[in-house]
Amino acid sequence: MPGSPSEPYDLVVIGAGPAGLAGAATAARLGLSVAVLDAAAQVGGQYFRHPAPGLGAARPQAVHHNWAAFTGLRRRFAASGATYLAGHHVWTVTREDEAAWSVHALAGEDGGTGTGGGTRTDGSRAATGSGTGGGGTAAGRGGHEDGRAVGADRDRGGSDADADREGRTGSDADGECEGSTGAGTDGEREGRTGAGTDGEREGRTGAGIAGFRERPVRLRCRAVLLATGASERQLPFPGWTLPGVVGAGGAQAMLKSGLVLPGRRIVVAGSGPLLLAVASSLAAAGARVPAVAEASGYLGYARRPRALAANPRKLLEAAVHGTALLRHRIPLHTRSAVTRVHGTDRVEAVTLSRLDRDWRPVSGTGRRIACDALAVGHGLAPQTELATGLGCATRRTPDGTHALVLDGLQETSVPGLWAAGETGGTGGWELARVEGELAGIAVAARLRARPALTRGRRVRDLAGRRDRMRAFAHAMAAAHAPGPGWTAWLDDDTDVCRCEEVTAGSIREAVTALGARDSRTVKLFTRAGMGWCQGRMCGAAVACLAASGTARGTVPDAAERRPLAVPVPLGSLAAGPEEPGDG
Amino acid sequence: MARTPADLVRAEPGPPFEITFDGRTVTALPGQSVAAALWAAGILAWRTTRHGGRPRGAFCGIGQCYDCLATVNGEPNRRACLVPARPGDAITTQEGHGHAGLAV
Amino acid sequence: MSNDTSDVIVVGAGVVGAACAYYAARDGLSVTVVDRGPVAGGTTGAGEGNLLVSDKEPGPELELALLSTRLWRELARELPAPIEYEAKGGLVVASDAPALAALRKFAAAQAGAGVTAGEIPADRLHDVEPHLSPGLGGGFRYPQDAQVQPALAAAHLLRASGARVRTGEEVTAVLTGANGRVRGVRTAAGELYAPSVVNAAGTWGGEVARLAGGHLPVLPRRGFVLVTEPLPRVVRHKVYAADYVADVASGSAALQTSAVVEGTPAGPVLIGASRERVGYDRTLSVEVLRRLAAQATALFPVLAGVRAMRTYAGFRPYLPDHLPAIGPDPRVPGLLHACGHEGAGIGLAPATGLALARLLAGAEPPLDLGPFGPGRFAPAG
């Protein structure tokens, strides 16, 4: 069976968001054996995160402007025959030889075994069990997720409306998905509920530290598609560690998946297009949003009129959010930032300050806004650690993050490793879907030695759309790039590293007194970035503070390396991986 | 205008169940994470930091920041934003590393 | 003295270079330290900070280690900022009675050289290390073993030295005068002048020697360290299995692993040690990590449920006879070497630095440097 030592999968896709789903569906449809691993219990990734079935959401599209596009993609994936392994946290990818990769994952990590509703989306059981099913097909899993929502879409009829509206020409991709949902569902569900549930339960209530529930799983494959998405970038400020301060994307995620809000009066702040979407959905869900603070102006966009004109849908989206803001009477403050949070054990108010061109607060402009929560974020940073661990080249994006360098067909600088979506630079779900499809075709062309696949009209069309959207993403990143003056928000006693509670003052001392000039050295001297999150929250800030040392002798900051993409219990590591098909 | 997130998506959740937070009963809905159930009850903090003893709760909401670590049924360092709530779960505020019992 | 001229240039801002700068400056010399990377950016930053006498048999390296142990104790008091110095002692454990007998013999030989060691019988191991696995054969405790945080130690030594530190500047040439004597180095940023140049480039010391026309066969010997989530003190000593000593002494290029487990003041437990000669390949090896985890959890079963949060590789500067090169280059007047300390560089740094400083001052070194003479690798003819 595919995945076993004797017969690897053709392609393992890491991440079941729009890029991963599109890539997997495309490659599987072209005849490759494909497995998709994802940490969550349901497909969709961060953007299309949606309530677990147990919450019985009849209209998940109310928090998703492009829900129909997602359900179309999900159906296409379900029909493709790709194996879907939910609840699999990939911790590293290693090269076995010239033609084979190993993807190492933990199954049954936090939350990996499905959310509520009495179901377990534990694909791993099949993958590592008796060798019969190889994890079941995407049809079963995709179809299982929320029968209700699928039904609702079908009733509406226009499930692929978005795709059509784009004027997509080649019907090959979307045409096939209809009528494919039911098939695997029942058999699959059986696989999920059986013996696995009890074992799982035991693990949960086990002997604390001595027990561990995570099983190491290894999948072998001939090619890897990294569709690991992005995480929100944060810039610290006094009070940002108070409960009630949450990531803007985090607030959105908690709303989309758990139908909850962090408070009743929520200020939204930071920078980037996500803020408007977050503000409008928080408001639609019943929160008061007394202010949205965008640290940039929007003039940056106007400087790149061509990228704008080529992407009318992006403008439309912005207009939709803008209209929502008006409807909810949410004031938008540009060139403004929350520079302080007030409260002792939780948020009571924030100080909103005007910023100069460099994002330095203009003195005397601070005003206090009462609120009980703050949703804050500064755009997204690609999650590239699996790739950088394998030596993939990165590039610096206009807003200062590090993205993978990709060729015209989505391959990284390391042959055999492809990437799609945010890993190549933040650009949104639609770009991710297009790149995923391109990558799927490219992988099939390589593995099946069918170069003609990449020369068709479909590839030209996809590549053209990708390039247009990338140009827009580039313009957007430039418009929202953090100004160098943001560090003026920090007091010396502001915690920059949330995990290890390392203050701005001690980081500055490491720079000025001990000569640290880069993040790694700051980390070695102060422990900033050495905690649980491995620098995901403080990395951007630490890099800025480190670079503030003298210019001469500056060591350029590289993309962060995290050889373990998620923490791995030593017991799981010691046990060694299970091979699909073992036992 | 919808008054709650559940109204917005016309949710008809399965039957609610109870979990506890530091001994206090909290109602959770099937499909919610531990963090979501706690947020719904107005609880934003369930951990204190190792050095400063300061309160923390969910921050990134997607399992990346590890700020939401909680002790779930006696087991420390579970990511509350990912762990699904299940009937009878006992959530307790995690102090520091959560492993005080191991100290020698 | 102008900005580009000093009494001595130290190539390498790791812990050995920092110690050389510290002791040379204390003797009144003006010092410039130059490194192509950041402070502690090479093997120092990847080290665990072990200051060990327990793993060394009687001989020149043990003498260097014993002197260093005393010096680190002084430095921990002298340096103005904490370097996480902990005199926690080492504990070497034997799997069974024959292994314990071998340890007993090893410790008896060390005792003659000034090493203190006390036998811990099997039934008392848990008083010393409560989380150790049951069924072990006993062990030896070495109270002289200690630990520092290596990057902080290097940074504070450098700072206290008052040396000019030029990071991010790669040395591209060693400048020599008409008589063949060293007169400085060239970097991308320009020329730096000094009558003496110290090669403290660690694993890259062979390249620096070559730039000057010298010869040192330094090879990288890769090691991985696993770092756990923060814990309270669960491991009191530096604890390692008896076979570690044999692995350290081996010259094999093949993978060897033996469990070395220790806590840190910051909370995480550090797990080593692997050795293999694979060049400068940083790629993660799942097999190495599996072995380290298996050996560590065999010693401390409690660690099975603890998470490894990160791992990193470092490259020990390995010389064929496992001894560092300390002293003047036989062919290039003015060039001195202080590199090749393999996995013991943090521990051996102060004695190395002190010895170098004495040589630079034309004084008697604190111990016989004969066995460390860089000339021992001179190519035949």
Side-chain angles (χ1 to χ4, degrees), chain A residues 209 214 521 524 552 568 570-571 573, chain C residues 38 149 169 304-308:
Chain A
I209 194 155
E214 299 91 339
T521 309
L524 283 172
R552 200 177 63 83
V568 187
L570 290 168
L573 205 49
Chain C
Q149 206 275 35
E169 283 186 38
V306 168
R307 288 173 174 79

Side-chain angles (χ1 to χ4, degrees), chain A residues 91-92 94 104 109 209 212-214 513-514 518 520-521 524-525 527 530-532 534 552-553 561 563-564 567-571 573-574 576, chain C residues 38-41 45 149 151-152 155-156 159 166-167 169 229-230 266 268 271 284 286 290 293-294 297 303-311:
Chain A
W91 60 271
T92 194
T94 55
H104 296 265
E109 247 274 338
I209 194 155
F212 55 95
R213 82 196 69 68
E214 299 91 339
L514 298 181
D518 63 305
R520 178 175 182 269
T521 309
L524 283 172
F525 292 167
R527 299 194 55 75
M530 273 197 187
W532 276 101
Q534 291 292 288
R552 200 177 63 83
R561 285 171 57 99
L564 303 182
V568 187
L570 290 168
L573 205 49
Chain C
V39 173
Q149 206 275 35
L152 280 179
H156 285 297
R159 189 185 184 191
R166 306 175 69 114
T167 52
E169 283 186 38
E229 64 184 274
I271 297 167
L284 181 146
V286 173
R290 188 194 65 72
T297 54
L303 294 177
V306 168
R307 288 173 174 79
M309 289 201 312
R310 60 199 177 92
T311 182

Side-chain angles (χ1 to χ4, degrees), chain B:
Chain B
M1 182 171 66
R3 311 293 303 182
T4 69
D7 294 341
L8 179 66
V9 296
R10 287 197 218 126
E12 294 165 31
F17 56 85
E18 290 182 346
I19 63 174
T20 61
F21 172 67
D22 288 346
R24 151 190 171 193
T25 299
V26 170
T27 301
L29 296 174
Q32 280 182 329
S33 65
V34 166
L38 294 175
W39 272 23
I43 298 163
L44 294 180
W46 47 84
R47 179 171 80 88
T48 57
T49 57
R50 223 157 91 234
H51 304 299
R54 287 186 285 260
R56 296 282 178 85
F59 179 67
C60 81
I62 61 169
Q64 295 274 329
C65 76
Y66 294 81
D67 239 345
C68 68
L69 295 177
T71 298
V72 178
N73 300 324
E75 190 186 345
N77 295 314
R78 304 292 314 273
R79 279 173 287 178
C81 77
L82 299 185
V83 177
R86 309 217 179 147
D89 276 347
I91 317 302
T92 43
T93 293
Q94 176 173 323
E95 289 174 16
H97 44 59
H99 291 304
L102 295 180
V104 296

Side-chain angles (χ1 to χ4, degrees), chain A residues 86-448:
Chain A
H88 280 59
H89 299 245
V90 175
W91 60 271
T92 194
V93 177
T94 55
R95 171 160 239 156
E96 296 301 300
D97 55 52
E98 280 308 297
W101 303 91
S102 276
V103 177
H104 296 265
L106 292 171
E109 247 274 338
D110 282 342
T113 51
T115 46
T119 59
R120 297 285 181 282
T121 322
D122 192 356
S124 65
R125 227 163 277 293
T128 58
S130 62
T132 52
T137 63
R141 303 191 181 276
H144 155 76
E145 279 175 10
D146 46 356
R148 200 194 299 240
V150 172
D153 286 331
R154 228 189 261 122
D155 291 345
R156 285 180 353 147
S159 56
D160 277 330
D162 280 31
D164 294 339
R165 227 182 3 246
E166 286 165 15
R168 185 180 291 194
T169 48
S171 60
D172 49 351
D174 297 332
E176 302 188 2
C177 63
E178 301 301 332
S180 61
T181 45
T185 307
D186 288 337
E188 205 26 62
R189 186 167 290 157
E190 214 163 60
R192 271 195 211 98
T193 51
T197 310
D198 290 331
E200 187 45 40
R201 188 75 205 165
E202 219 161 59
R204 279 170 65 84
T205 55
I209 194 155
F212 55 95
R213 82 196 69 68
E214 299 91 339
R215 282 176 311 103
V217 174
R218 178 172 80 152
L219 287 156
R220 294 180 77 246
C221 56
R222 300 170 62 202
V224 176
L225 172 55
L226 299 158
T228 44
S231 59
E232 194 160 34
R233 175 166 56 176
Q234 295 294 343
L235 298 177
F237 48 92
W240 78 306
T241 54
L242 264 189
V245 180
V246 300
Q252 180 90 320
M254 293 284 285
L255 171 61
K256 284 175 175 177
S257 63
L259 306 181
V260 290
L261 298 169
R264 305 168 80 86
R265 267 178 76 85
I266 310 172
V267 170
V268 177
S271 189
L274 181 68
L275 297 185
L276 301 182
V278 170
S280 68
S281 49
L282 294 177
R288 278 286 320 277
V289 180
V292 175
E294 162 61 58
S296 294
Y298 284 102
L299 282 175
Y301 290 86
R303 295 198 195 105
R304 288 179 173 72
R306 232 182 300 170
L308 286 183
N311 291 272
R313 273 172 58 80
K314 292 283 180 186
L315 290 183
L316 184 68
E317 254 174 50
V320 168
H321 292 309
T323 310
L325 257 52
L326 284 178
R327 187 167 68 243
H328 293 291
R329 297 178 203 287
I330 301 172
L332 171 63
H333 307 265
T334 55
R335 294 229 167 273
S336 301
V338 168
T339 51
R340 182 172 296 274
V341 177
H342 307 275
T344 46
D345 286 334
R346 57 193 292 167
V347 176
E348 290 163 14
V350 299
T351 293
L352 194 70
S353 300
R354 289 276 298 162
L355 303 179
D356 69 14
R357 292 176 56 87
D358 289 336
W359 289 29
R360 224 168 255 107
V362 178
S363 66
T365 61
R367 67 189 179 93
R368 200 177 159 110
I369 298 177
C371 60
D372 57 4
L374 168 67
V376 64
H378 285 274
L380 303 177
Q383 292 201 73
T384 59
E385 56 255 352
L386 293 172
T388 54
L390 289 161
C392 294
T394 59
R395 65 183 173 91
R396 218 174 144 82
T397 62
D399 60 345
T401 67
H402 291 272
L404 297 179
V405 172
L406 303 174
D407 74 5
L409 290 170
Q410 303 300 129
E411 195 167 11
T412 70
S413 64
V414 175
L417 284 182
W418 278 262
E422 315 287 55
T423 46
T426 305
W429 71 272
E430 213 179 338
L431 174 59
R433 186 180 61 173
V434 165
E435 291 191 339
E437 187 176 343
L438 261 178
I441 295 170
V443 174
R446 173 79 53 81
L447 296 188
R448 292 289 180 265

Side-chain angles (χ1 to χ4, degrees), chain C:
Chain C
M1 198 171 281
S2 78
N3 210 28
D4 56 2
T5 304
S6 44
D7 294 325
V8 56
I9 293 167
V10 177
V11 182
V15 71
V16 172
C20 290
Y22 179 81
Y23 288 105
R26 217 173 60 167
D27 280 355
L29 301 180
S30 66
V31 184
T32 298
V33 177
V34 56
D35 196 301
R36 66 177 172 189
V39 173
T43 310
T44 297
E48 294 167 283
N50 292 317
L51 320 178
L52 300 187
V53 297
S54 58
D55 64 338
K56 294 173 181 65
E57 61 186 15
E61 194 190 2
L62 180 57
E63 279 181 49
L64 201 62
L66 284 163
L67 172 58
S68 267
T69 297
R70 286 200 299 280
L71 293 173
W72 271 122
R73 213 164 28 232
E74 286 172 24
L75 289 170
R77 282 194 306 266
E78 285 168 19
L79 292 174
I83 54 172
E84 299 187 13
Y85 175 83
E86 275 194 298
K88 58 184 176 182
L91 178 68
V92 189
V93 294
S95 52
D96 52 21
L100 184 64
L103 283 182
R104 200 175 291 132
K105 203 172 145 207
F106 192 70
Q110 290 173 312
V115 174
T116 310
E119 180 164 343
I120 312 290
D123 62 357
R124 282 214 40 238
L125 270 183
H126 289 91
D127 300 337
V128 178
E129 279 293 348
H131 286 298
L132 265 181
S133 169
L136 291 164
F140 271 79
R141 179 152 63 171
Y142 288 82
Q144 286 152 307
D145 284 355
Q147 188 178 26
V148 292
Q149 206 275 35
L152 280 179
H156 285 297
L157 279 170
L158 274 181
R159 189 185 184 191
S161 76
R164 279 194 292 269
V165 180
R166 306 175 69 114
T167 52
E169 283 186 38
E170 181 164 7
V171 170
T172 54
V174 174
L175 309 172
T176 48
N179 54 0
R181 211 191 143 77
V182 162
R183 59 181 186 91
V185 299
R186 181 180 301 129
T187 76
E191 294 188 343
L192 303 170
Y193 307 106
S196 300
V197 170
V198 174
N199 171 17
T203 314
W204 299 270
E207 292 161 41
V208 173
R210 198 157 41 245
L211 284 178
H215 173 72
L216 268 188
V218 189
L219 289 173
R221 200 179 186 193
R222 183 173 75 173
F224 279 98
V225 175
L226 276 168
V227 186
T228 73
E229 64 184 274
L231 296 170
R233 172 99 343 168
V234 298
V235 179
R236 291 173 180 162
H237 301 79
K238 176 195 175 72
V239 179
Y240 62 93
D243 49 356
Y244 172 73
V245 178
D247 280 3
V248 171
S250 158
S252 167
L255 171 64
Q256 295 159 312
T257 59
S258 45
V260 180
V261 183
E262 64 195 307
T264 58
V269 165
L270 306 181
I271 297 167
S274 67
R275 303 180 136 69
E276 55 191 322
R277 295 221 316 268
V278 290
Y280 290 102
D281 182 1
R282 274 184 197 280
T283 315
L284 181 146
S285 162
V286 173
E287 175 56 15
V288 172
L289 300 191
R290 188 194 65 72
R291 285 213 221 169
L292 292 178
Q295 289 169 333
T297 54
L299 272 186
F300 290 98
V302 70
L303 294 177
V306 168
R307 288 173 174 79
M309 289 201 312
R310 60 199 177 92
T311 182
Y312 53 85
F315 299 100
R316 302 178 184 91
Y318 163 91
L319 282 167
D321 59 3
H322 300 284
L323 290 179
I326 305 171
D329 186 281
R331 296 194 291 188
V332 187
L335 176 67
L336 297 95
H337 297 290
C339 60
H341 296 73
E342 204 172 329
I346 316 297
L348 303 179
T352 303
L354 181 63
L356 250 290
R358 289 287 177 276
L359 291 178
L360 288 166
E364 191 66 21
L367 78 172
D368 174 20
L369 292 178
F372 309 114
R376 69 193 195 272
F377 301 112

